[in-house]
């Protein structure tokens, strides 16, 4: 299970039984804003500080370099993220 380090907050293990990183973060009581859960709105946008994620499907929301949407992705390696 990849480790998810949330900068300045906590370190959690990604629960691979959950369909996305957003679901896993919620399961472990991490506060992440979201609207759609499908990559359309971009409300869950987080900063990827290190590591690699994989999109389950390409998001439609605009995503800047160094950002990602946890609603439609999973970690491939240990990652460090910043949740706004």
């Amino acid at each position: 299970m990849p480790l998810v380090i949330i900068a300045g907050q906590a370190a959690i293990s990604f629960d691979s039984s959950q369909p996305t990183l957003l679901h896993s973060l919620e399961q472990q009581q991490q506060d992440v804003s979201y609207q759609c859960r499908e990559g359309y709105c971009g409300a869950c946008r987080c900063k990827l500080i290190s590591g690699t994620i994989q999109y389950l499907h390409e998001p439609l929301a605009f995503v800047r370099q160094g950002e990602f949407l946890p609603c439609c992705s999973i970690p491939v390696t240990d990652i460090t993220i910043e949740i706004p």
Side-chain angles (χ1 to χ4, degrees):
M1 276 192 251
L3 185 64
V4 179
I5 300 167
I6 303 161
Q9 294 181 34
I12 61 173
S13 292
F14 173 68
D15 182 352
S16 59
S17 71
Q18 297 296 316
T20 66
L21 181 53
L22 177 61
H23 284 90
S24 188
L25 289 167
E26 288 179 317
Q27 177 191 37
Q28 298 183 49
Q29 285 79 46
Q30 299 301 312
D31 188 27
V32 181
S33 297
Y34 67 90
Q35 298 271 328
C36 69
R37 293 188 177 269
E38 298 294 325
Y40 298 120
C41 71
C44 67
R45 185 180 327 273
C46 293
K47 183 177 181 182
L48 182 63
I49 297 170
S50 68
T52 305
I53 58 101
Q54 174 185 342
Y55 281 112
L56 303 173
H57 59 270
E58 224 24 66
L60 295 177
F62 177 73
V63 182
R64 293 180 185 96
Q65 182 74 20
E67 295 179 336
F68 76 104
L69 302 180
C71 70
C72 56
S73 63
I74 58 171
V76 176
T77 64
D78 291 350
I79 61 174
T80 301
I81 65 172
E82 184 178 297
I83 300 173

